Amino acid sequence: MHALEHNIHWIAGVAGTGKSKLLQFIVLMALFGDKNSFLPLKILYLVNQNSAVNDFPKELQDAMVKMGKQNHIIRLHGYSSEINDWKSRIIDDKRPGIFDEDNARRACISVEDEFLVQHQLANIAVSANNAAKASKKPRMEILSLSQAAWRYYSDHVDQYPDLTAALVEKRDLEELKDKIQNLYTDFLQQFGGVVTSTPYTGCLTKFVRNFKADICLVDEAARINDLELLQILRKHDPELTVVVGDPCQMGPWRPPSDTENTIQPYAEYVSRSTLERAISYGGIVKASLTLNHRGLGGLVRLPSSIIYHDTMQAYSRGPALYPAEVDAYAEFLRGICPDLDKSSQRIIVELQNSAAKRLGTSTINMDHVRYVSDLVIKASKDPSLKGLDGKPKLIMVCSFYLQ
């Protein structure tokens, strides 16, 4: 990394080439380059989907466990996810108590509010012992920022006597929030490791003020528009930024305009990714990943042809041999399309006379929804369909890539 010509490095890659795995490797090498030491760098991982904010740290944590390292990861995203996470835990453990979810959502407008909810959640159990266990063992092993701050407070409670007294008395709410903000400042400034977030949340002023990233990793960059990426670079100004993405993926989401005649001066900047522009300029993106590690046998031929202009290559060489699990899925497809060639594993279904209808700011085709739902139910109940190497089967429902 020290040999890089600039402090921002662009990497384009087709699907299945290990882009996110590469970012994991960068994290592990930065934090644990010497297997006997830990360098407390501040690393910010940004991705534009809340699901990925959770998925990336799970895989990273598995890698840390294999290395015998402690978990140095925090999730930072919308608080509604945290409420659902804790509510599920309460229901699963059948703990008696009252938790007003609607009031909690309305009340959580700042990180201080979130800390107070963590404090309340630690007291909804019947006994203090159960409450302590609840606060220290959330359902997800990867802590959110508010959960991590609460744990830090619990481990250093003797350093915050004023906050402890304020939590008990609850007389001056604004003074209490100031003390909680000081706790967040202490925690973030001493924290070394990875924070995973969306670009918006990761650039909030209160967070940036106390967590200046040394390394910034931007994943799924084709989904991040110009303005989002520029605010990341401006607010954090990291020593190293690595931007990875699939340029053939769907571009940044842009809310539809209510009036066609409305002039939107920033339309170009919110509808196109910086990664796409960097590729079109030429000479900026110097690394391109083309070896697909997921396509078994000859499964890469179709996406390579219709999406990637024949640039995708199969990692495995030799004859197109498919494991039994893949053959089972091919047989499942022949149950839908009996004329399907034995060497094919994909079908395209056209539902004639179906149409999409407007729903809020998006559209929906209920004929497609019903067809896909029935197909998913059928596949989920088919015992012959399994994941590779004995793993549970996973069914993905997603939108098409741009062609």
Side-chain angles (χ1 to χ4, degrees):
M1 291 299 174
H2 288 294
L4 292 175
E5 184 178 353
H6 304 288
N7 66 345
I8 180 169
H9 193 59
W10 305 84
I11 301 175
V14 302
T17 51
K19 299 182 292 296
S20 296
K21 290 290 185 183
L22 175 61
L23 297 184
Q24 288 183 32
F25 177 76
I26 292 174
V27 169
L28 297 174
M29 290 301 295
L31 296 179
F32 314 109
D34 182 344
K35 64 180 181 179
N36 296 319
S37 66
F38 169 69
L39 187 61
L41 293 172
K42 296 184 183 297
I43 302 176
L44 183 62
Y45 170 87
L46 297 173
V47 66
N48 229 356
Q49 296 89 18
N50 276 321
S51 58
V53 171
N54 287 333
D55 293 341
F56 181 83
K58 289 178 187 177
E59 297 181 3
L60 184 58
Q61 183 188 45
D62 291 342
M64 289 184 178
V65 170
K66 291 179 181 178
M67 295 176 64
K69 302 296 183 180
Q70 292 183 351
N71 181 3
H72 298 275
I73 315 169
I74 293 175
R75 295 176 295 129
L76 176 63
H77 52 56
Y79 197 62
S80 60
S81 299
E82 306 308 325
I83 292 176
N84 289 332
D85 183 53
W86 276 92
K87 188 177 74 169
S88 298
R89 177 173 174 78
I90 296 166
I91 294 173
D92 292 345
D93 291 352
K94 297 181 174 60
R95 292 180 178 146
I98 299 174
F99 180 54
D100 192 329
E101 179 181 354
D102 292 335
N103 281 338
R105 290 183 188 277
R106 286 192 293 269
C108 291
I109 58 176
S110 69
V111 292
E112 296 87 354
D113 294 320
E114 295 172 12
F115 181 88
L116 289 173
V117 172
Q118 294 298 331
H119 174 66
Q120 293 299 325
L121 287 168
N123 290 286
I124 61 175
V126 177
S127 67
N129 288 334
N130 284 340
K133 292 179 180 178
S135 65
K136 292 182 179 179
K137 294 183 179 180
R139 189 166 60 92
M140 277 199 68
E141 295 182 10
I142 310 297
L143 300 179
S144 68
L145 176 58
S146 57
Q147 291 169 342
W150 172 257
R151 173 174 286 187
Y152 179 77
Y153 164 72
S154 301
D155 293 340
H156 301 83
V157 66
D158 56 319
Q159 300 179 19
Y160 299 94
D162 293 341
L163 174 57
T164 302
L167 285 170
V168 174
E169 296 172 2
K170 299 178 183 176
R171 294 178 180 175
D172 189 334
L173 186 58
E174 291 306 315
E175 180 183 355
L176 174 57
K177 287 188 175 184
D178 288 340
K179 297 182 185 304
I180 293 174
Q181 181 59 47
N182 292 335
L183 171 69
Y184 270 85
T185 297
D186 293 346
F187 170 70
L188 285 172
Q189 289 183 352
Q190 64 82 41
F191 176 76
V194 186
V195 174
T196 67
S197 177
T198 60
Y200 172 78
T201 310
C203 289
L204 292 176
T205 302
K206 283 187 178 180
F207 173 71
V208 174
R209 186 182 298 143
N210 299 303
F211 189 90
K212 281 288 187 179
D214 299 303
I215 299 175
C216 184
L217 307 175
V218 182
D219 204 354
E220 303 289 353
R223 302 283 292 159
I224 297 177
N225 65 47
D226 265 344
L227 297 183
E228 290 175 313
L229 186 59
L230 289 175
Q231 79 164 345
I232 294 168
L233 300 177
R234 181 180 68 85
K235 288 198 170 185
H236 286 278
D237 191 23
E239 293 292 326
L240 172 67
T241 301
V242 180
V243 182
V244 304
D246 180 352
C248 291
Q249 199 173 14
M250 293 178 64
W253 180 80
R254 174 185 169 189
S257 174
D258 294 332
T259 307
E260 293 184 1
N261 296 327
T262 301
I263 299 176
Q264 298 185 2
Y266 300 107
E268 178 184 353
Y269 303 102
V270 299
S271 59
R272 193 177 185 187
S273 71
T274 312
L275 176 66
E276 182 183 357
R277 290 203 300 114
I279 292 174
S280 65
Y281 286 155
I284 297 176
V285 180
K286 298 180 180 180
S288 183
L289 307 177
T290 60
L291 289 179
N292 181 289
H293 294 257
R294 294 199 295 252
L296 299 169
L299 291 177
V300 304
R301 290 196 300 266
L302 181 62
S304 180
S305 175
I306 68 173
I307 300 173
Y308 295 108
H309 310 290
D310 295 319
T311 59
M312 178 185 284
Q313 305 175 56
Y315 176 74
S316 58
R317 304 296 182 182
L321 299 176
Y322 302 103
E325 293 88 348
V326 176
D327 288 334
Y329 283 96
E331 190 62 31
F332 177 81
L333 292 180
R334 277 191 284 276
I336 303 171
C337 180
D339 298 331
L340 185 66
D341 186 88
K342 289 188 176 182
S343 62
S344 300
Q345 295 84 20
R346 293 177 173 86
I347 61 173
I348 297 177
V349 177
E350 179 184 3
L351 302 182
Q352 296 183 353
N353 301 321
S354 66
K357 296 181 179 180
R358 188 87 173 185
L359 182 64
T361 59
S362 186
T363 58
I364 187 171
N365 187 318
M366 288 308 301
D367 291 325
H368 290 179
V369 172
R370 282 188 285 268
Y371 182 84
V372 172
S373 300
D374 292 343
L375 199 59
V376 168
I377 293 172
K378 183 178 179 181
S380 64
K381 293 181 178 180
D382 191 329
S384 68
L385 303 182
K386 302 175 182 178
L388 293 174
D389 302 322
K391 296 180 182 179
K393 60 190 171 192
L394 299 176
I395 301 174
M396 177 182 290
V397 180
C398 61
S399 58
F400 277 115
Y401 276 31
L402 293 176
Q403 296 186 14

